[in-house]
Amino acid sequence: MTATSAALTPPADAIPPVRHPDAPAPGELLGAHYEYCFGCGGGQPHGLHLEARAGEGVTVTAEFTVTPDHQGAPGLAHGGVLATALDETLGSLNWLLRVIAVTGRLETDFVRPVPVGTVLHLEAAVTAVHGRKIYSTAVGRIGGPEGPVAVRADALFIEVKVDHFIDNGRPEEIQAAMSDPDQVRRARAFEVNP
């Protein structure tokens, strides 16, 4: 097992995470944050189609099935796809904090191969918050939610405003997303977060 780098170790004055009072209820499906997201969107034919559910506290669970489109070595999931699954699950935690945040750093350990056809069971938790920095951890298991660990990650997310995407995304996709009433509702809900 690799030790977590100093950049992923919360400082001594970091605070425990607090679930936002308006966060989705435990067990609730979080849904895609954008239709064409490779990780969670239904509009990506070869995407992960990862579905995350709110857990207790500041945790989420998720699953995705490794298809032949996700392989690297013959019959095995590509490591980058597994890292994406961890990143997407970790990013889903932001629904529970009611913040918009992007990945600042992701460190992944690959513990065992994940064959095509496997359902990867993921669980993630926020461990600490320090200003705009959100520290979190995740594991991916095969054979069931209590099965052996196949992958794990530690991450640092950085809270941003919706302008981050408006200023840096391609205008046509930003316009399409902002024309979607559900996207506008979600963005406004996050923008009014105290």
Side-chain angles (χ1 to χ4, degrees):
M1 181 171 149
T2 306
T4 300
S5 72
L8 294 176
T9 302
D13 60 342
I15 61 172
V18 176
R19 184 188 189 100
H20 193 279
D22 295 328
E28 187 175 326
L29 187 63
L30 299 179
H33 65 269
Y34 175 59
E35 178 68 13
Y36 296 103
C37 172
F38 181 78
C40 65
Q44 286 288 352
H46 302 295
L48 303 184
H49 302 182
L50 188 135
E51 293 187 339
R53 291 191 180 277
E56 297 293 331
V58 189
T59 66
V60 298
T61 59
E63 293 181 359
F64 97 95
T65 301
V66 179
T67 71
D69 295 318
H70 302 139
Q71 65 188 315
L76 297 174
H78 189 287
V81 169
L82 297 175
T84 300
L86 289 162
D87 183 50
E88 188 67 33
T89 305
L90 289 156
S92 296
L93 290 164
N94 298 316
W95 286 98
L96 305 181
L97 298 173
R98 296 282 295 215
V99 299
I100 300 171
V102 295
T103 310
R105 186 175 185 95
L106 177 70
E107 290 186 12
T108 306
D109 292 320
F110 301 95
V111 180
R112 62 179 27 108
V114 179
V116 168
T118 298
V119 176
L120 189 65
H121 299 268
L122 299 136
E123 185 172 358
V126 176
T127 57
V129 177
H130 188 258
R132 293 177 46 226
K133 295 180 178 182
I134 302 164
Y135 297 85
S136 53
T137 188
V139 296
R141 298 174 183 272
I142 57 177
E146 303 300 321
V149 172
V151 292
R152 64 177 154 247
D154 291 306
L156 171 65
F157 279 75
I158 308 297
E159 186 177 346
V160 298
K161 298 292 182 193
V162 74
D163 291 349
H164 169 84
F165 303 100
I166 293 169
D167 294 344
N168 297 293
R170 290 193 324 176
E172 56 271 20
E173 277 93 358
I174 296 298
Q175 186 60 41
M178 296 312 285
S179 296
D180 177 350
D182 288 335
Q183 282 298 109
V184 172
R185 179 183 51 78
R186 287 183 195 122
R188 286 194 179 133
F190 283 102
E191 284 295 305
V192 298
N193 184 33

